[in-house]
PDB file of all heavy atoms in Angstrom:
ATOM      1  N   HIS A  41      35.082  86.910 -62.370  1.00  0.00           N
ATOM      2  CA  HIS A  41      33.947  86.134 -61.865  1.00  0.00           C
ATOM      3  C   HIS A  41      32.807  87.066 -61.430  1.00  0.00           C
ATOM      4  O   HIS A  41      31.654  86.867 -61.785  1.00  0.00           O
ATOM      5  CB  HIS A  41      34.397  85.262 -60.690  1.00  0.00           C
ATOM      6  CG  HIS A  41      33.266  84.616 -59.956  1.00  0.00           C
ATOM      7  ND1 HIS A  41      32.685  83.458 -60.399  1.00  0.00           N
ATOM      8  CD2 HIS A  41      32.593  84.997 -58.850  1.00  0.00           C
ATOM      9  CE1 HIS A  41      31.696  83.128 -59.577  1.00  0.00           C
ATOM     10  NE2 HIS A  41      31.622  84.050 -58.636  1.00  0.00           N
ATOM     11  N   ARG A 354      33.319  91.049 -72.217  1.00  0.00           N
ATOM     12  CA  ARG A 354      32.499  90.310 -71.256  1.00  0.00           C
ATOM     13  C   ARG A 354      32.847  90.576 -69.803  1.00  0.00           C
ATOM     14  O   ARG A 354      32.021  90.388 -68.922  1.00  0.00           O
ATOM     15  CB  ARG A 354      32.561  88.828 -71.569  1.00  0.00           C
ATOM     16  CG  ARG A 354      31.759  88.540 -72.808  1.00  0.00           C
ATOM     17  CD  ARG A 354      32.037  87.218 -73.444  1.00  0.00           C
ATOM     18  NE  ARG A 354      31.273  87.157 -74.683  1.00  0.00           N
ATOM     19  CZ  ARG A 354      31.708  87.652 -75.840  1.00  0.00           C
ATOM     20  NH1 ARG A 354      32.887  88.216 -75.929  1.00  0.00           N
ATOM     21  NH2 ARG A 354      30.948  87.576 -76.916  1.00  0.00           N
ATOM     22  N   ASP A 402      45.227  93.015 -84.928  1.00  0.00           N
ATOM     23  CA  ASP A 402      44.654  93.501 -86.186  1.00  0.00           C
ATOM     24  C   ASP A 402      44.149  94.935 -86.062  1.00  0.00           C
ATOM     25  O   ASP A 402      44.161  95.679 -87.034  1.00  0.00           O
ATOM     26  CB  ASP A 402      43.475  92.611 -86.603  1.00  0.00           C
ATOM     27  CG  ASP A 402      43.933  91.430 -87.445  1.00  0.00           C
ATOM     28  OD1 ASP A 402      45.152  91.227 -87.549  1.00  0.00           O
ATOM     29  OD2 ASP A 402      43.056  90.727 -87.981  1.00  0.00           O
ATOM     30  N   ARG A 418      54.083  85.678 -70.322  1.00  0.00           N
ATOM     31  CA  ARG A 418      53.797  84.390 -69.678  1.00  0.00           C
ATOM     32  C   ARG A 418      55.100  83.639 -69.486  1.00  0.00           C
ATOM     33  O   ARG A 418      55.340  83.035 -68.430  1.00  0.00           O
ATOM     34  CB  ARG A 418      52.841  83.560 -70.548  1.00  0.00           C
ATOM     35  CG  ARG A 418      51.451  84.139 -70.644  1.00  0.00           C
ATOM     36  CD  ARG A 418      50.578  83.355 -71.612  1.00  0.00           C
ATOM     37  NE  ARG A 418      49.283  84.002 -71.766  1.00  0.00           N
ATOM     38  CZ  ARG A 418      48.259  83.477 -72.431  1.00  0.00           C
ATOM     39  NH1 ARG A 418      48.381  82.297 -73.012  1.00  0.00           N
ATOM     40  NH2 ARG A 418      47.119  84.130 -72.514  1.00  0.00           N
ATOM     41  N   THR A 422      56.697  82.334 -65.974  1.00  0.00           N
ATOM     42  CA  THR A 422      56.994  80.944 -65.601  1.00  0.00           C
ATOM     43  C   THR A 422      58.485  80.757 -65.322  1.00  0.00           C
ATOM     44  O   THR A 422      58.865  79.942 -64.499  1.00  0.00           O
ATOM     45  CB  THR A 422      56.575  79.941 -66.704  1.00  0.00           C
ATOM     46  OG1 THR A 422      57.311  80.242 -67.900  1.00  0.00           O
ATOM     47  CG2 THR A 422      55.096  80.018 -66.986  1.00  0.00           C
ATOM     48  N   GLU A 423      59.320  81.550 -65.997  1.00  0.00           N
ATOM     49  CA  GLU A 423      60.760  81.450 -65.742  1.00  0.00           C
ATOM     50  C   GLU A 423      61.102  81.929 -64.332  1.00  0.00           C
ATOM     51  O   GLU A 423      62.043  81.456 -63.714  1.00  0.00           O
ATOM     52  CB  GLU A 423      61.533  82.303 -66.759  1.00  0.00           C
ATOM     53  CG  GLU A 423      61.597  81.707 -68.142  1.00  0.00           C
ATOM     54  CD  GLU A 423      62.592  80.556 -68.244  1.00  0.00           C
ATOM     55  OE1 GLU A 423      63.796  80.821 -68.145  1.00  0.00           O
ATOM     56  OE2 GLU A 423      62.157  79.402 -68.403  1.00  0.00           O
ATOM     57  N   GLU A 430      52.112  73.284 -62.271  1.00  0.00           N
ATOM     58  CA  GLU A 430      51.911  73.420 -63.707  1.00  0.00           C
ATOM     59  C   GLU A 430      53.205  73.170 -64.472  1.00  0.00           C
ATOM     60  O   GLU A 430      53.224  72.468 -65.483  1.00  0.00           O
ATOM     61  CB  GLU A 430      51.382  74.822 -64.032  1.00  0.00           C
ATOM     62  CG  GLU A 430      51.148  75.030 -65.507  1.00  0.00           C
ATOM     63  CD  GLU A 430      50.771  76.461 -65.834  1.00  0.00           C
ATOM     64  OE1 GLU A 430      49.575  76.784 -65.687  1.00  0.00           O
ATOM     65  OE2 GLU A 430      51.658  77.252 -66.225  1.00  0.00           O
ATOM     66  N   MET A 441      55.990  63.605 -74.882  1.00  0.00           N
ATOM     67  CA  MET A 441      55.805  63.913 -76.296  1.00  0.00           C
ATOM     68  C   MET A 441      57.091  63.927 -77.095  1.00  0.00           C
ATOM     69  O   MET A 441      57.046  63.879 -78.317  1.00  0.00           O
ATOM     70  CB  MET A 441      55.085  65.246 -76.442  1.00  0.00           C
ATOM     71  CG  MET A 441      53.609  65.091 -76.120  1.00  0.00           C
ATOM     72  SD  MET A 441      52.849  66.681 -75.916  1.00  0.00           S
ATOM     73  CE  MET A 441      51.122  66.235 -75.968  1.00  0.00           C
ATOM     74  N   ARG A 481      31.188  72.391 -70.289  1.00  0.00           N
ATOM     75  CA  ARG A 481      31.463  71.711 -71.552  1.00  0.00           C
ATOM     76  C   ARG A 481      31.606  70.206 -71.315  1.00  0.00           C
ATOM     77  O   ARG A 481      32.226  69.803 -70.344  1.00  0.00           O
ATOM     78  CB  ARG A 481      32.779  72.212 -72.166  1.00  0.00           C
ATOM     79  CG  ARG A 481      32.877  73.710 -72.343  1.00  0.00           C
ATOM     80  CD  ARG A 481      34.327  74.148 -72.271  1.00  0.00           C
ATOM     81  NE  ARG A 481      34.475  75.589 -72.206  1.00  0.00           N
ATOM     82  CZ  ARG A 481      34.570  76.281 -71.078  1.00  0.00           C
ATOM     83  NH1 ARG A 481      34.516  75.663 -69.904  1.00  0.00           N
ATOM     84  NH2 ARG A 481      34.715  77.581 -71.087  1.00  0.00           N
ATOM     85  N   ASP A 482      31.068  69.424 -72.217  1.00  0.00           N
ATOM     86  CA  ASP A 482      31.323  67.986 -72.187  1.00  0.00           C
ATOM     87  C   ASP A 482      32.622  67.730 -72.935  1.00  0.00           C
ATOM     88  O   ASP A 482      33.008  68.483 -73.808  1.00  0.00           O
ATOM     89  CB  ASP A 482      30.185  67.225 -72.870  1.00  0.00           C
ATOM     90  CG  ASP A 482      28.897  67.308 -72.064  1.00  0.00           C
ATOM     91  OD1 ASP A 482      28.991  67.496 -70.837  1.00  0.00           O
ATOM     92  OD2 ASP A 482      27.818  67.187 -72.671  1.00  0.00           O
ATOM     93  N   ALA A 485      35.015  61.231 -74.990  1.00  0.00           N
ATOM     94  CA  ALA A 485      35.889  60.141 -74.563  1.00  0.00           C
ATOM     95  C   ALA A 485      36.827  59.829 -75.716  1.00  0.00           C
ATOM     96  O   ALA A 485      36.430  59.919 -76.867  1.00  0.00           O
ATOM     97  CB  ALA A 485      35.063  58.915 -74.218  1.00  0.00           C
ATOM     98  N   ARG A 492      47.249  57.118 -85.698  1.00  0.00           N
ATOM     99  CA  ARG A 492      48.465  56.404 -86.115  1.00  0.00           C
ATOM    100  C   ARG A 492      48.270  54.897 -86.137  1.00  0.00           C
ATOM    101  O   ARG A 492      48.808  54.219 -87.005  1.00  0.00           O
ATOM    102  CB  ARG A 492      49.663  56.817 -85.264  1.00  0.00           C
ATOM    103  CG  ARG A 492      49.663  56.347 -83.812  1.00  0.00           C
ATOM    104  CD  ARG A 492      50.900  56.846 -83.102  1.00  0.00           C
ATOM    105  NE  ARG A 492      50.948  58.312 -83.108  1.00  0.00           N
ATOM    106  CZ  ARG A 492      52.076  59.022 -83.117  1.00  0.00           C
ATOM    107  NH1 ARG A 492      53.239  58.423 -83.080  1.00  0.00           N
ATOM    108  NH2 ARG A 492      52.026  60.328 -83.119  1.00  0.00           N
ATOM    109  N   GLY A 511      41.140  58.069-106.816  1.00  0.00           N
ATOM    110  CA  GLY A 511      41.809  59.249-107.361  1.00  0.00           C
ATOM    111  C   GLY A 511      42.287  58.991-108.779  1.00  0.00           C
ATOM    112  O   GLY A 511      42.102  59.822-109.667  1.00  0.00           O
TER     113      GLY A 511
ATOM    114  N   ASP B  12      45.488  63.182 -83.585  1.00  0.00           N
ATOM    115  CA  ASP B  12      45.895  61.782 -83.545  1.00  0.00           C
ATOM    116  C   ASP B  12      45.160  61.023 -82.437  1.00  0.00           C
ATOM    117  O   ASP B  12      44.621  59.933 -82.646  1.00  0.00           O
ATOM    118  CB  ASP B  12      47.419  61.750 -83.309  1.00  0.00           C
ATOM    119  CG  ASP B  12      48.003  60.362 -83.444  1.00  0.00           C
ATOM    120  OD1 ASP B  12      47.262  59.432 -83.827  1.00  0.00           O
ATOM    121  OD2 ASP B  12      49.206  60.216 -83.157  1.00  0.00           O
ATOM    122  N   GLN B  39      56.431  61.241 -85.223  1.00  0.00           N
ATOM    123  CA  GLN B  39      55.890  62.564 -84.919  1.00  0.00           C
ATOM    124  C   GLN B  39      55.033  62.538 -83.658  1.00  0.00           C
ATOM    125  O   GLN B  39      54.423  61.531 -83.324  1.00  0.00           O
ATOM    126  CB  GLN B  39      55.041  63.072 -86.088  1.00  0.00           C
ATOM    127  CG  GLN B  39      53.817  62.202 -86.359  1.00  0.00           C
ATOM    128  CD  GLN B  39      52.924  62.829 -87.419  1.00  0.00           C
ATOM    129  OE1 GLN B  39      52.201  63.773 -87.153  1.00  0.00           O
ATOM    130  NE2 GLN B  39      52.989  62.297 -88.627  1.00  0.00           N
ATOM    131  N   THR B  40      55.002  63.674 -82.952  1.00  0.00           N
ATOM    132  CA  THR B  40      54.128  63.761 -81.775  1.00  0.00           C
ATOM    133  C   THR B  40      53.340  65.065 -81.747  1.00  0.00           C
ATOM    134  O   THR B  40      52.193  65.112 -82.188  1.00  0.00           O
ATOM    135  CB  THR B  40      54.917  63.610 -80.452  1.00  0.00           C
ATOM    136  OG1 THR B  40      55.910  64.626 -80.387  1.00  0.00           O
ATOM    137  CG2 THR B  40      55.565  62.243 -80.333  1.00  0.00           C
ATOM    138  N   ASN B  48      52.227  78.676 -75.693  1.00  0.00           N
ATOM    139  CA  ASN B  48      51.141  79.593 -75.352  1.00  0.00           C
ATOM    140  C   ASN B  48      50.898  79.711 -73.859  1.00  0.00           C
ATOM    141  O   ASN B  48      50.360  80.703 -73.390  1.00  0.00           O
ATOM    142  CB  ASN B  48      49.847  79.180 -76.058  1.00  0.00           C
ATOM    143  CG  ASN B  48      49.868  79.563 -77.527  1.00  0.00           C
ATOM    144  OD1 ASN B  48      50.788  80.243 -77.982  1.00  0.00           O
ATOM    145  ND2 ASN B  48      48.870  79.127 -78.266  1.00  0.00           N
ATOM    146  N   GLY B  50      53.309  79.719 -71.763  1.00  0.00           N
ATOM    147  CA  GLY B  50      54.431  80.463 -71.188  1.00  0.00           C
ATOM    148  C   GLY B  50      55.696  79.640 -71.003  1.00  0.00           C
ATOM    149  O   GLY B  50      56.581  80.034 -70.255  1.00  0.00           O
ATOM    150  N   TYR B  51      55.757  78.503 -71.668  1.00  0.00           N
ATOM    151  CA  TYR B  51      56.943  77.647 -71.533  1.00  0.00           C
ATOM    152  C   TYR B  51      57.642  77.533 -72.881  1.00  0.00           C
ATOM    153  O   TYR B  51      57.135  76.896 -73.790  1.00  0.00           O
ATOM    154  CB  TYR B  51      56.540  76.261 -71.011  1.00  0.00           C
ATOM    155  CG  TYR B  51      55.911  76.320 -69.640  1.00  0.00           C
ATOM    156  CD1 TYR B  51      54.556  76.548 -69.486  1.00  0.00           C
ATOM    157  CD2 TYR B  51      56.694  76.188 -68.492  1.00  0.00           C
ATOM    158  CE1 TYR B  51      53.978  76.637 -68.231  1.00  0.00           C
ATOM    159  CE2 TYR B  51      56.125  76.274 -67.228  1.00  0.00           C
ATOM    160  CZ  TYR B  51      54.767  76.495 -67.105  1.00  0.00           C
ATOM    161  OH  TYR B  51      54.209  76.589 -65.862  1.00  0.00           O
ATOM    162  N   ARG B  53      61.138  76.850 -73.029  1.00  0.00           N
ATOM    163  CA  ARG B  53      62.277  75.958 -72.869  1.00  0.00           C
ATOM    164  C   ARG B  53      61.844  74.496 -73.057  1.00  0.00           C
ATOM    165  O   ARG B  53      62.491  73.733 -73.756  1.00  0.00           O
ATOM    166  CB  ARG B  53      62.811  76.144 -71.441  1.00  0.00           C
ATOM    167  CG  ARG B  53      64.239  75.834 -71.205  1.00  0.00           C
ATOM    168  CD  ARG B  53      64.518  75.941 -69.708  1.00  0.00           C
ATOM    169  NE  ARG B  53      64.601  77.299 -69.214  1.00  0.00           N
ATOM    170  CZ  ARG B  53      65.712  78.034 -69.245  1.00  0.00           C
ATOM    171  NH1 ARG B  53      66.810  77.542 -69.762  1.00  0.00           N
ATOM    172  NH2 ARG B  53      65.728  79.250 -68.755  1.00  0.00           N
ATOM    173  N   ARG B 149      46.028  83.725 -91.987  1.00  0.00           N
ATOM    174  CA  ARG B 149      45.302  84.504 -93.006  1.00  0.00           C
ATOM    175  C   ARG B 149      44.734  83.607 -94.102  1.00  0.00           C
ATOM    176  O   ARG B 149      44.942  83.861 -95.282  1.00  0.00           O
ATOM    177  CB  ARG B 149      46.210  85.560 -93.630  1.00  0.00           C
ATOM    178  CG  ARG B 149      46.908  86.463 -92.634  1.00  0.00           C
ATOM    179  CD  ARG B 149      46.098  87.701 -92.381  1.00  0.00           C
ATOM    180  NE  ARG B 149      46.645  88.430 -91.237  1.00  0.00           N
ATOM    181  CZ  ARG B 149      45.917  89.193 -90.432  1.00  0.00           C
ATOM    182  NH1 ARG B 149      44.626  89.304 -90.601  1.00  0.00           N
ATOM    183  NH2 ARG B 149      46.463  89.830 -89.427  1.00  0.00           N
ATOM    184  N   LYS B 185      42.223  78.192 -67.354  1.00  0.00           N
ATOM    185  CA  LYS B 185      42.643  79.231 -66.404  1.00  0.00           C
ATOM    186  C   LYS B 185      41.583  80.310 -66.219  1.00  0.00           C
ATOM    187  O   LYS B 185      41.492  80.919 -65.160  1.00  0.00           O
ATOM    188  CB  LYS B 185      43.940  79.895 -66.887  1.00  0.00           C
ATOM    189  CG  LYS B 185      45.179  79.031 -66.694  1.00  0.00           C
ATOM    190  CD  LYS B 185      46.392  79.776 -67.239  1.00  0.00           C
ATOM    191  CE  LYS B 185      47.637  78.933 -67.224  1.00  0.00           C
ATOM    192  NZ  LYS B 185      48.352  78.970 -65.953  1.00  0.00           N
ATOM    193  N   GLU B 188      35.465  80.683 -66.684  1.00  0.00           N
ATOM    194  CA  GLU B 188      34.163  81.361 -66.720  1.00  0.00           C
ATOM    195  C   GLU B 188      34.083  82.370 -67.862  1.00  0.00           C
ATOM    196  O   GLU B 188      33.049  82.498 -68.521  1.00  0.00           O
ATOM    197  CB  GLU B 188      33.906  82.066 -65.387  1.00  0.00           C
ATOM    198  CG  GLU B 188      33.685  81.101 -64.258  1.00  0.00           C
ATOM    199  CD  GLU B 188      33.579  81.838 -62.934  1.00  0.00           C
ATOM    200  OE1 GLU B 188      34.596  82.406 -62.478  1.00  0.00           O
ATOM    201  OE2 GLU B 188      32.479  81.857 -62.375  1.00  0.00           O
ATOM    202  N   ASP B 196      27.926  82.950 -76.339  1.00  0.00           N
ATOM    203  CA  ASP B 196      27.541  83.809 -77.462  1.00  0.00           C
ATOM    204  C   ASP B 196      27.792  83.120 -78.797  1.00  0.00           C
ATOM    205  O   ASP B 196      26.996  83.209 -79.718  1.00  0.00           O
ATOM    206  CB  ASP B 196      28.319  85.129 -77.398  1.00  0.00           C
ATOM    207  CG  ASP B 196      27.888  85.971 -76.202  1.00  0.00           C
ATOM    208  OD1 ASP B 196      26.870  85.620 -75.567  1.00  0.00           O
ATOM    209  OD2 ASP B 196      28.570  86.967 -75.895  1.00  0.00           O
ATOM    210  N   SER B 225      26.939  70.089 -76.735  1.00  0.00           N
ATOM    211  CA  SER B 225      26.492  68.831 -76.132  1.00  0.00           C
ATOM    212  C   SER B 225      25.897  69.077 -74.746  1.00  0.00           C
ATOM    213  O   SER B 225      24.858  68.522 -74.394  1.00  0.00           O
ATOM    214  CB  SER B 225      27.682  67.869 -76.052  1.00  0.00           C
ATOM    215  OG  SER B 225      27.507  66.909 -75.041  1.00  0.00           O
ATOM    216  N   ARG B 255      32.164  60.130 -84.801  1.00  0.00           N
ATOM    217  CA  ARG B 255      33.013  61.256 -84.475  1.00  0.00           C
ATOM    218  C   ARG B 255      34.340  61.137 -85.192  1.00  0.00           C
ATOM    219  O   ARG B 255      34.906  60.099 -85.272  1.00  0.00           O
ATOM    220  CB  ARG B 255      33.228  61.351 -82.967  1.00  0.00           C
ATOM    221  CG  ARG B 255      33.740  62.713 -82.592  1.00  0.00           C
ATOM    222  CD  ARG B 255      33.951  62.824 -81.108  1.00  0.00           C
ATOM    223  NE  ARG B 255      34.906  61.838 -80.655  1.00  0.00           N
ATOM    224  CZ  ARG B 255      34.672  60.950 -79.698  1.00  0.00           C
ATOM    225  NH1 ARG B 255      33.521  60.938 -79.094  1.00  0.00           N
ATOM    226  NH2 ARG B 255      35.587  60.094 -79.346  1.00  0.00           N
TER     227      ARG B 255
END
Side-chain angles (χ1 to χ4, degrees):
Chain A
H41 170 82
R354 287 164 185 85
D402 272 9
R418 292 175 185 188
T422 61
E423 286 284 291
E430 180 186 277
M441 285 167 166
R481 306 152 190 93
D482 291 334
R492 70 181 60 211
Chain B
D12 188 6
Q39 63 174 284
T40 58
N48 284 353
Y51 298 86
R53 206 186 285 275
R149 307 268 169 209
K185 285 179 186 274
E188 291 174 292
D196 292 349
S225 156
R255 197 180 60 235

